[in-house]
Amino acid sequence: MDRPGAVARLRGALGAFAEQYLTPGGRWSVALSGGPDSLALTAVAARMRPTTALIVDHGLQPGSAQVAATARRQALELGCVDAQVIAVTVGTQGGPEAAARTARYAALAESGGCDPVLLGHTLDDQAETVLLGLGRGSGARSMAGMRPHDPPWCRPLLGVRRSVTAQACAELGVTPWLDPHNSDPRFTRVRLRAEVLPLLEDVLGGGVPEALARTARALRENTDLIDGLAEQALTGAGSGAGLAVAELAVLAGPVRRAVIRRWLLGGGGRGLTDLQIRAVDRLITAWRGQGGVAVGSDQPGQRLFAVRGDGLLQLRYEPV
């Protein structure tokens, strides 16, 4: 039997995703950059449900408004019931890639309303995410990659190679936009894509992106289990005054650190690292009267500290 065409494979992936995660019928939105991944996904989505294309114009490149206008026209020609261009202002926090991503997701969340938002991330994107997490030593949670379904975000193509979306565009007769940033070696992901992954494929004999995606899935299953246990433990250890050290001390290390992470995030912590979480953990497991542990904060001009006192872990803000 002949292998199904690229469009049919994408339709099958999206249909299986919708059956597993979404309620029948209804509408959805799709984040459209104009690139091959999102353009192919838009084409398939528009044939399955009423679809609104959300096109974010970051304004970071000359001609970005024209690129967005072209994507809007293509979305409507492909059958979308609506297509919106959303202009955003990109900040600087976390570097250009992170700042653009933050602005994009905020715009998509606001414009998507209550609808699921389809994202065109592929298996190749997942593999790159796992490598980034591994290289940064961010722990299992970072290496677990992107979730297929993290409402409102939907990633139905995480099992599909990037080459399939490019072939689907060829089958559909549509011309995708090729973002120059995707070949710019100043960006870490580009170097992973162009240098590191091909080298690993050569050294290990192929199949590396698929293996990395399987690793992400296995780690995600483990972290989901730990998160469930942590939620229960946080309820037992938490109080208005802080977290009871005695309740935390008896927990298994991975569960205790997951409790700490959730507690820090709930208290305004941001950009948490594995090193910071383990330092807070030592306030429980290796207490010698040490001072507080500073973590990233969501309050401008304020530093957030986790401190121990009177048998409790507590959070304290201090001016920078």
Side-chain angles (χ1 to χ4, degrees):
M1 180 180 295
D2 292 337
R3 187 184 183 92
V7 173
R9 291 172 64 186
L10 295 185
R11 188 182 300 115
L14 181 53
F17 177 91
E19 183 176 352
Q20 180 175 358
Y21 293 111
L22 304 179
T23 56
R27 303 167 58 97
W28 52 29
S29 298
V30 59
L32 174 60
S33 69
D37 301 335
S38 62
L39 191 59
L41 178 58
T42 299
V44 171
R47 298 180 182 185
M48 297 176 65
R49 291 190 184 188
T51 301
T52 296
L54 302 175
I55 303 135
V56 177
D57 179 7
H58 300 86
L60 297 176
Q61 302 180 52
S64 65
Q66 182 58 47
V67 171
T70 299
R72 182 179 184 277
R73 173 182 54 79
Q74 289 176 313
L76 295 173
E77 290 174 350
L78 290 169
C80 289
V81 297
D82 190 17
Q84 305 172 19
V85 175
I86 312 156
V88 299
T89 300
V90 176
T92 59
Q93 187 171 3
E97 292 175 278
R101 183 170 56 250
T102 298
R104 179 169 61 254
Y105 274 83
L108 292 172
E110 181 177 355
S111 300
C114 298
D115 293 338
V117 180
L118 307 181
L119 305 175
H121 296 126
T122 65
L123 185 148
D124 298 83
D125 295 305
Q126 185 76 301
E128 293 160 11
T129 300
V130 174
L131 279 180
L132 282 171
L134 176 62
R136 291 169 177 167
S138 304
R141 187 177 305 279
S142 178
M143 290 171 58
M146 297 174 282
R147 293 179 177 275
H149 189 223
D150 187 17
W153 315 119
C154 302
R155 299 181 176 91
L157 305 185
L158 287 183
V160 176
R161 295 298 303 267
R162 190 176 286 138
S163 58
V164 176
T165 62
Q167 181 59 40
C169 288
E171 290 180 9
L172 292 162
V174 295
T175 302
W177 174 60
L178 301 180
D179 186 350
H181 282 177
N182 288 338
S183 57
D184 189 336
R186 292 179 300 169
F187 298 107
T188 304
R189 271 191 183 269
V190 172
R191 297 197 65 187
L192 283 177
R193 185 178 306 152
E195 301 174 34
V196 177
L197 275 167
L199 178 60
L200 287 173
E201 286 272 87
D202 180 51
V203 172
L204 299 177
V208 171
E210 292 85 355
L212 290 169
R214 290 195 300 272
T215 298
R217 184 170 59 250
L219 287 171
R220 190 164 54 250
E221 291 171 351
N222 291 343
T223 56
D224 285 348
L225 173 61
I226 291 171
D227 282 346
L229 297 173
E231 181 64 28
Q232 298 175 22
L234 181 59
T235 301
S239 70
L243 292 182
V245 170
E247 297 287 342
L248 297 175
V250 299
L251 299 174
V255 177
R256 184 174 58 249
R257 287 186 288 275
V259 171
I260 291 169
R261 177 180 178 274
R262 297 174 77 90
W263 174 66
L264 291 172
L265 288 173
R270 294 296 181 268
L272 303 176
T273 68
D274 187 62
L275 289 175
Q276 290 171 336
I277 292 171
R278 288 180 182 273
V280 176
D281 191 29
R282 287 193 291 275
L283 296 178
I284 302 166
T285 62
W287 174 242
R288 301 290 185 272
Q290 63 264 41
V293 176
V295 300
S297 163
D298 64 357
Q299 299 297 318
Q302 298 283 316
R303 297 180 71 190
L304 182 62
F305 287 83
V307 298
R308 173 169 171 166
D310 298 324
L312 295 173
L313 285 186
Q314 298 172 305
L315 291 173
R316 183 179 70 219
Y317 277 102
E318 294 184 1
V320 174

